[in-house]
Amino acid sequence: MQTKTLYTRLLRLDSHFLHFLRISIFIVMAWIGGLKAYQYEADGIVPFVANSPLMNFFYKNADHKVLNEEQKLVSEYTLYKNPEGKTVKKNIDWHTENGTYAFSYGLGTIIIIIAILVLLGIWYPKIGALGGALTFIMSFVTLSFLVTTPEVYVPNLGGDFPTSQFGFPYLSGAGRLVLKDIIMMAAGLVLFSDSLKKVLRSSGMTTANQN
């Protein structure tokens, strides 16, 4: 009997759990979106954008191939990477000319807007439904990087002895970060569904009142 009472009380908290989910998504997206205004974060997304057929047109040099020090043909952006926490002027100058920072500012703004729409779903279901749908779409695009971005898998750099632990399915740090977006995708669908139910419920009540 006590267990049943506990379950009943937990079920009554269902709406609060969904609101917590909205707040959680808002925190993650607003935080990450805000960081897109900073050089290190903008540099960090270059491999994803440059290799994505959905986004690479935003970069001026996305399709440029050049010879590296080992005389191998590589994407030009790979020669201008800034490690997190380090600034190299020639690299920053290249990214500025490439459009790296301008694109990152725009992307960050879009992410923050989606975050706000999701949060507003607590009070406005129609807006929340839009926020949930956009969260799903954004996460779908992010997950597409698992197909288009070489850096999401461990590279074969050689070493003291041979290893087979490179390429698919061996996710790199970047790949593990991208894969987590499948959770965000599912959350977007859950919130879209919840908000849509509220909209339809409200519409039904309105119709009933008119009759």
Side-chain angles (χ1 to χ4, degrees), residues 40-113:
Y40 87 95
E41 174 68 14
D43 290 347
I45 65 173
V46 169
F48 302 115
V49 179
N51 289 289
S52 172
L54 301 175
M55 295 183 174
N56 59 12
F57 62 89
F58 286 108
Y59 284 170
K60 184 176 179 180
N61 303 316
D63 58 349
H64 287 192
K65 302 291 183 180
V66 295
L67 294 174
N68 62 13
E69 293 180 353
E70 299 174 352
Q71 297 304 300
K72 293 182 179 179
L73 194 64
V74 296
S75 297
E76 188 175 10
Y77 74 82
T78 61
L79 304 183
Y80 297 94
K81 291 183 177 181
N82 284 308
E84 289 188 2
K86 184 175 182 179
T87 55
V88 181
K89 187 178 186 304
K90 72 176 181 66
N91 293 348
I92 293 175
D93 290 343
W94 184 90
H95 284 293
T96 300
E97 192 270 340
N98 180 53
T100 297
Y101 304 124
F103 171 77
S104 188
Y105 299 153
L107 179 62
T109 300
I110 292 173
I111 293 174
I112 290 173
I113 290 173

